[in-house]
Amino acid sequence: MLMVRDLSVCIEGKVIVDGVSLEAKEGELHVIMGPNGSGKSTLLSALMGLSRVRICGGSIVFNGVDITDKPSYERAKLGIALAHQNPPSIKGVKFSEVVKNLIRKCGCSDSTVMSKILRVDELLSRDLFVGFSGGERKRAELYLVLLQNPKLALLDEPDSGVDVESLDLIASAVRYLIKKSTTVILVTHSGSILNKLSRIDQVHVMIGGKIVYRDLPDKVIPAILKYGFKKGVEVLRDGG
Amino acid sequence: MFGVRGSLKELLKTPAPYGPDIDLSNYDMDLPEIQEGREVVDEISDVSSRLGFNDTSKLSYIQVNEVAVYKALEESLSKYGVRVLPLRKALEELPNVKELAWKLVRPDLDKYTVASYLYGGELGYFIYVPPNTEVPAPIYSCLAITRDRKIQFAHNIVYVDSNSVAHVVTGCAVPHGVKGGLHIGISEFYVGRGSRLTFSMIHAWSEGLHVRPRTAVSVDDGGEYVSYYVIYSPVASLQTYPSVRLGRSSKAYLASVIAGSGESVYDVGSKAVLGGLNASAEVVSRVVAYDSSRIYARSEIVAEDAGRGHVECLGLLLSSNAEIHSIPTLTSKKPEALLSHEAAIGMIAQDEIEYLMSKGFTEGEAKSIIVRGFMNVEVRGLPLTVMMEIDRLLDMISRHATG
């Protein structure tokens, strides 16, 4: 499904992601944890092919196709979707208009189910993300990802800045993706969504642009939540 | 009343205050003519579809060059007591119409009004809506120029008597292939006490056309005037500065959407005068400039009495060769009046394009979605059918303009 090899990513000449490798199979849920500024969002931006980041080394292969140099819309056509951490507010553009265009483009047949899961109906008549609360923003953005019917969903901090109710809805949507055999790479620094997910295949800890530790969630998450990122990794390495 | 015709003729040589000057002697004038029939409808089928009027049978008034044709909806409108007829005929047949003509727009306003007054033959439409009448269907009219180097004159008067509601939709266009001409339109609208008039105008001209509409509106106490103007075609030049005078507790909402292209010059303004206590006005424009177009977006609110006014003028510059000049003006003569304005000109934000591209849209599709959204102006009170037609046009404009 996804094979990332020794990937380095630069922004304005500065290396933000440094030699990351990662492999995810169909239907797997991978979680990337790390402190603020560790390069998690930059990694997802590079996987999506956003032009604000530049890949300065390594490769990305998706379903056997080298997509390292492909622009974002071509990656989206191949089945990759990104839920942005901070999607831009676009005045005048109705949320419903983007939804309509995406349904037309992606042929999504269960948009009603998805809108019920994320309770976005009341947002449809509003301008895209304009004046949305934190929870509304995350739900609306995740809804657009669901509409893309992705094979690989990249979720950037879907649990940050949301209330408990929205968190439950977002977790339901992630479970829905997994149920549909979508591969999910979920970035979180708070980890607040993790205990609401039924199954996590692997947790990667990212610090200073590198993945410094990876293992099964039962081992990694308790150590990180107890000791924090740096000390947690030290404890894990020491076999604690 | 207006001085001798000779002194008016002198004004024909004086450039108007705004817009590129047009030498009227470069154009021919046909003799104005009125027909009762539909012989010219086929001639304008291309034109009417450019304006979103796919069903020409809906049109109450059609003017092709200097030939006015009417009938159509006259019958269905007559059950409401609504009259739609060429102004010249109305001036001849209906009492009091003379009292309405050339009262809001003065003949000596500029060279174009002078030309229309002297040579226009009072073609154009007259629409009368009686008191306490709500006309459910929009009243459509279509004006077209089909031959080169002609001047088309149109003088329109709409009178909505007290406590009535009417929707007028006017489209002006040329068929593909017409390269040059001049359209001079005089419009005088009277909105009676407690009445509401919505006026939607769509312009689809061509590169060689000069366009000089002159519009003035009087809104009586408690009345409301809503105007929605869209131009999406190139022109040689367009200059217009409609003015609305508002009585006590009356309202105006004036929206313009200008999609400029080619080497066109657009000088489009809207002016509202708060002439009575508690009058309110909102002037909104959305300007999109492509190619080498130059757009002057003027907006003005004058508070002569205590009321509220707001100007919102937003521009999107989509070419480094294009120019947008935004000129909002607020004048208050009453301390209790509250006037405000917001003006901004910019380009499409790169992060918005990139965001939409990450959803699978190409760069062109992303721009089209953003431009379409930018042109969205929420005009309250327009009939759904009109809104849908305008929406279709704006969809087409945004798709076409961004390739």
Side-chain angles (χ1 to χ4, degrees):
Chain A
M1 159 62 71
L2 178 70
M3 202 174 286
V4 180
R5 284 278 172 266
D6 202 22
L7 189 72
S8 293
V9 186
C10 303
I11 297 178
E12 293 173 356
K14 190 178 172 193
V15 177
I16 307 296
V17 172
D18 189 3
V20 164
S21 295
L22 190 153
E23 198 173 329
K25 295 190 172 62
E26 185 181 324
E28 286 185 348
L29 168 58
H30 289 245
V31 170
I32 301 175
M33 299 183 79
N36 291 331
S38 57
K40 306 183 298 294
S41 293
T42 303
L43 173 61
L44 291 200
S45 297
L47 295 180
M48 189 68 239
L50 301 188
S51 61
R52 67 182 178 83
V53 300
R54 190 174 64 80
I55 293 173
C56 44
S59 64
I60 307 166
V61 175
F62 176 66
N63 278 343
V65 179
D66 188 334
I67 60 166
T68 314
D69 298 322
K70 285 194 185 299
S72 60
Y73 75 92
E74 284 191 22
R75 296 187 197 201
K77 276 184 190 161
L78 290 171
I80 302 175
L82 168 66
H84 293 244
Q85 184 180 0
N86 294 306
S89 303
I90 310 183
K91 199 179 169 190
V93 174
K94 297 286 174 213
F95 182 40
S96 58
E97 194 61 29
V98 178
V99 167
K100 193 174 77 184
N101 276 302
L102 270 183
I103 290 174
R104 194 184 301 145
K105 196 173 259 295
C106 304
C108 178
S109 57
D110 45 1
S111 59
T112 316
V113 178
M114 295 165 179
S115 73
K116 276 189 183 144
I117 292 173
L118 286 160
R119 292 192 199 153
V120 293
D121 281 355
E122 75 274 20
L123 304 174
L124 289 169
S125 61
R126 292 169 59 181
D127 286 1
L128 191 61
F129 302 121
V130 176
F132 282 27
S133 69
E136 288 172 340
R137 188 172 282 258
K138 296 290 182 185
R139 276 155 43 212
E141 174 64 352
L142 196 48
Y143 179 56
L144 296 181
V145 165
L146 293 185
L147 289 179
Q148 288 179 261
N149 204 14
K151 296 186 180 95
L152 170 63
L154 309 168
L155 310 181
D156 194 358
E157 305 274 10
D159 54 350
S160 68
V162 298
D163 58 30
V164 180
E165 278 187 4
S166 285
L167 190 60
D168 284 340
L169 300 176
I170 288 163
S172 300
V174 177
R175 289 196 298 269
Y176 183 79
L177 279 169
I178 298 294
K179 202 174 150 192
K180 289 180 71 176
S181 300
T182 308
T183 305
V184 176
I185 297 180
L186 187 152
V187 156
T188 177
H189 75 272
S190 70
S192 56
I193 196 174
L194 298 180
N195 65 359
K196 295 177 185 296
L197 302 176
S198 48
R199 191 201 80 222
I200 298 169
D201 292 285
Q202 198 162 42
V203 176
H204 310 258
V205 181
M206 195 166 178
I207 298 174
K210 296 174 187 290
I211 289 183
V212 294
Y213 195 84
R214 57 166 60 105
D215 208 330
L216 297 173
D218 293 350
K219 280 187 73 179
V220 181
I221 294 170
I224 296 297
L225 294 179
K226 186 172 180 184
Y227 299 109
F229 293 108
K230 277 190 179 168
K231 193 169 177 201
V233 169
E234 284 170 15
V235 170
L236 287 164
R237 280 179 177 153
D238 292 343
Chain B
M1 176 179 170
F2 306 112
V4 292
R5 292 171 76 88
S7 65
L8 276 178
K9 280 185 179 175
E10 282 302 304
L11 280 174
L12 290 171
K13 298 170 197 153
T14 310
Y18 302 114
D21 187 44
I22 311 297
D23 184 348
L24 299 174
S25 65
N26 288 337
Y27 298 90
D28 302 325
M29 292 183 225
D30 285 344
L31 277 178
E33 187 186 328
I34 296 174
Q35 290 178 6
E36 288 190 39
R38 295 198 144 269
E39 289 77 12
V40 296
V41 169
D42 289 345
E43 209 176 330
I44 63 149
S45 59
D46 167 42
V47 166
S48 57
S49 63
R50 287 187 73 200
L51 297 168
F53 305 159
N54 293 322
D55 182 2
T56 51
S57 68
K58 281 184 181 173
L59 297 167
S60 295
Y61 176 88
I62 298 165
Q63 184 176 329
V64 180
N65 306 314
E66 284 291 272
V67 180
V69 184
Y70 77 105
K71 201 75 184 166
L73 264 183
E74 174 78 356
E75 285 163 24
S76 61
L77 290 168
S78 64
K79 69 181 174 196
Y80 301 102
V82 174
R83 299 297 308 271
V84 182
L85 61 167
L87 178 63
R88 192 164 79 187
K89 210 167 163 60
L91 286 165
E92 288 163 6
E93 295 176 5
L94 301 179
N96 305 325
V97 178
K98 281 192 181 69
E99 304 305 316
L100 304 175
W102 298 106
K103 294 298 184 294
L104 301 180
V105 177
R106 285 171 29 215
D108 60 352
L109 180 71
D110 61 25
K111 66 196 293 185
Y112 309 107
T113 54
V114 169
S116 181
Y117 181 73
L118 294 177
Y119 310 115
E122 301 295 28
L123 284 193
Y125 54 76
F126 173 74
I127 298 172
Y128 173 73
V129 180
N132 306 308
T133 304
E134 182 165 350
V135 188
I139 303 164
Y140 288 97
S141 68
C142 179
L143 287 82
I145 298 177
T146 61
R147 280 178 283 157
D148 283 327
R149 298 181 57 81
K150 298 287 181 193
I151 300 185
Q152 180 184 54
F153 294 107
H155 184 183
N156 307 315
I157 295 179
V158 178
Y159 193 99
V160 183
D161 220 325
S162 54
N163 300 310
S164 291
V165 178
H167 309 283
V168 175
V169 182
T170 296
C172 299
V174 296
H176 293 295
V178 174
K179 292 185 176 58
L182 170 62
H183 169 86
I184 300 176
I186 312 295
S187 296
E188 299 179 279
F189 299 158
Y190 296 84
V191 182
R193 187 179 289 258
S195 289
R196 180 152 58 92
L197 171 64
T198 74
F199 178 70
S200 310
M201 177 173 266
I202 300 156
H203 273 176
W205 301 107
S206 70
E207 289 86 350
L209 259 288
H210 293 280
V211 185
R212 295 293 182 273
R214 300 290 180 258
T215 303
V217 184
S218 167
V219 186
D220 208 339
D221 297 350
E224 184 177 1
Y225 175 68
V226 175
S227 147
Y228 191 1
Y229 174 66
V230 178
I231 177 160
Y232 72 90
S233 66
V235 285
S237 73
L238 160 70
Q239 191 274 313
T240 185
Y241 206 156
S243 175
V244 181
R245 184 168 187 86
L246 293 155
R248 180 184 279 258
S249 300
S250 61
K251 294 180 198 170
Y253 184 86
L254 314 173
S256 310
V257 176
I258 305 156
S261 57
E263 296 183 352
S264 315
V265 178
Y266 308 82
D267 191 327
V268 177
S270 290
K271 178 180 179 180
V273 179
L274 311 181
L277 187 66
N278 292 329
S280 62
E282 202 172 342
V283 180
V284 175
S285 68
R286 295 284 186 275
V287 175
V288 183
Y290 306 96
D291 305 331
S292 302
S293 58
R294 263 188 300 145
I295 305 178
Y296 299 83
R298 302 177 197 274
S299 41
E300 182 175 4
I301 298 181
V302 180
E304 292 181 353
D305 208 334
R308 283 171 173 265
H310 180 68
V311 167
E312 182 185 280
C313 183
L314 304 180
L316 203 52
L317 204 53
L318 296 182
S319 157
S320 53
N321 296 321
E323 290 177 19
I324 297 174
H325 304 253
S326 175
I327 308 156
T329 306
L330 302 177
T331 305
S332 183
K333 299 174 183 176
K334 280 279 178 184
E336 298 85 359
L338 184 62
L339 305 180
S340 57
H341 80 74
E342 176 190 354
I345 301 171
M347 54 187 280
I348 299 180
Q350 193 56 39
D351 66 327
E352 294 176 6
I353 297 173
E354 178 154 274
Y355 172 76
L356 290 173
M357 286 178 71
S358 77
K359 299 295 177 214
F361 298 105
T362 63
E363 187 173 351
E365 288 168 337
K367 283 181 176 172
S368 172
I369 291 171
I370 294 165
V371 169
R372 177 67 183 86
F374 175 81
M375 290 190 294
N376 261 340
V377 179
E378 290 191 17
V379 184
R380 296 173 292 271
L382 283 190
L384 187 62
T385 50
V386 176
M387 229 27 259
M388 285 167 63
E389 279 157 10
I390 290 176
D391 275 348
R392 267 203 304 273
L393 277 180
L394 295 181
D395 285 345
M396 189 216 24
I397 297 166
S398 54
R399 277 198 307 272
H400 173 74
T402 52

